[in-house]
């Protein structure tokens, strides 16, 4: 039995050689061109990866809010890379390195009392050159009770995310307060 190659180099049996040339069903036995092509399948795989990345990053952002509310510093530490940076537009909050970031956040959360953080809009931009990097903008609100006084804040985060060993983490996070009352 012979074989034929499609444009992508895949081999398949030459069934048409075994069907009588007068048979009206011969057309059905002829090789079907690979309409989608391997390039198309690669594109689909990349698109699925970006969708999964966006979902994982949205979960990362939510886990940050929950860890802040629970003042779970060990959980917060898992969300940041070892070389992470956290800063504020005002410059009052600055820390480099995952451990230093979490120490700073622990100190900031210690006097906030019970709190509730909500994330609203999460805009993720996947890096077109590196599938393990992305950036994002996150809008959120927090209710806290520093010194027993209820306060309300609206924040915007500018983030850089990094995927390592299949997990997305914050590599850089900068907070800007839109208002804090």
């Amino acid at each position: 039995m012979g074989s034929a190659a499609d444009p992508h180099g895949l081999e398949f049996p030459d069934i048409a050689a075994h069907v009588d040339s007068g048979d009206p069903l011969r057309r059905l036995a002829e090789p079907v061109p690979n309409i989608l092509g391997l390039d198309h399948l690669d594109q689909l795989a990349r698109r699925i990866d970006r969708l999964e990345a966006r979902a994982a990053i949205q979960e990362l952002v939510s886990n940050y809010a929950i860890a802040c509310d629970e003042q779970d510093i060990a959980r917060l530490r898992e969300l940041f890379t070892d070389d992470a940076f956290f800063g504020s537009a005002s410059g009052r909050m600055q820390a480099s390195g995952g451990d230093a970031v979490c120490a700073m956040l622990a100190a900031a959360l210690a006097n906030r009392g019970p709190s509730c953080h909500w994330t609203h809009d999460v805009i993720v931009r996947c890096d077109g050159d590196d599938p393990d990097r992305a950036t994002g903008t996150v809008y959120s609100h927090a209710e806290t009770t520093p010194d027993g006084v209820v306060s309300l804040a609206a924040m915007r985060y500018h983030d850089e995310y990094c995927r390592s060993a299949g997990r997305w983490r914050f590599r850089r996070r900068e907070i800007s307060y839109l208002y804090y009352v």
Side-chain angles (χ1 to χ4, degrees), residues 99-119:
D99 292 336
V101 166
C102 289
M104 180 195 65
L105 290 173
L109 294 170
N111 72 355
R112 294 288 193 267
S115 65
C116 189
H117 287 75
W118 291 279
T119 55

Side-chain angles (χ1 to χ4, degrees), residues 2-181:
S3 66
D6 77 357
H8 301 287
L10 301 177
E11 297 279 326
F12 51 87
D14 188 0
I15 298 169
H18 299 286
V19 178
D20 179 20
S21 62
D23 188 338
L25 297 178
R26 178 177 173 83
R27 187 173 62 75
L28 296 177
E30 293 176 358
V32 177
N34 185 348
I35 297 170
L36 295 179
L38 294 178
D39 289 340
H40 187 71
L41 295 177
D42 289 342
Q43 289 174 9
L44 285 175
R46 286 191 297 274
R47 290 175 71 188
I48 289 169
D49 183 58
R50 284 193 302 269
L51 290 171
E52 290 175 342
R54 284 188 171 112
I57 290 168
Q58 288 178 332
E59 190 172 314
L60 170 71
V61 167
S62 294
N63 282 326
Y64 172 84
I66 293 166
C68 286
D69 288 341
E70 295 175 355
Q71 296 189 18
D72 186 343
I73 306 308
R75 185 175 183 182
L76 274 172
R77 180 61 187 94
E78 293 175 9
L79 305 179
F80 288 90
T81 62
D82 290 340
D83 64 345
F85 172 81
F86 191 105
S88 63
S90 68
R92 290 178 40 194
M93 297 176 72
Q94 303 283 330
S96 293
D99 292 336
V101 166
C102 289
M104 180 195 65
L105 290 173
L109 294 170
N111 72 355
R112 294 288 193 267
S115 65
C116 189
H117 287 75
W118 291 279
T119 55
H120 303 295
D121 300 318
V122 179
I123 301 163
V124 177
R125 292 169 297 283
C126 295
D127 187 317
D129 296 324
D130 185 345
D132 294 325
R133 298 220 181 262
T135 57
T137 305
V138 177
Y139 288 86
S140 65
H141 279 85
E143 292 180 10
T144 60
T145 54
D147 302 320
V149 178
V150 175
S151 67
L152 178 65
M155 295 92 65
R156 177 178 45 231
Y157 294 92
H158 293 284
D159 295 334
E160 291 179 18
Y161 314 104
C162 178
R163 178 170 49 188
S164 175
R167 247 182 110 187
W168 285 96
R169 291 182 173 86
F170 295 105
R171 185 165 189 281
R172 182 178 183 88
R173 183 151 242 227
E174 184 174 318
I175 187 171
S176 299
Y177 289 94
L178 304 173
Y179 60 83
Y180 198 120
V181 293

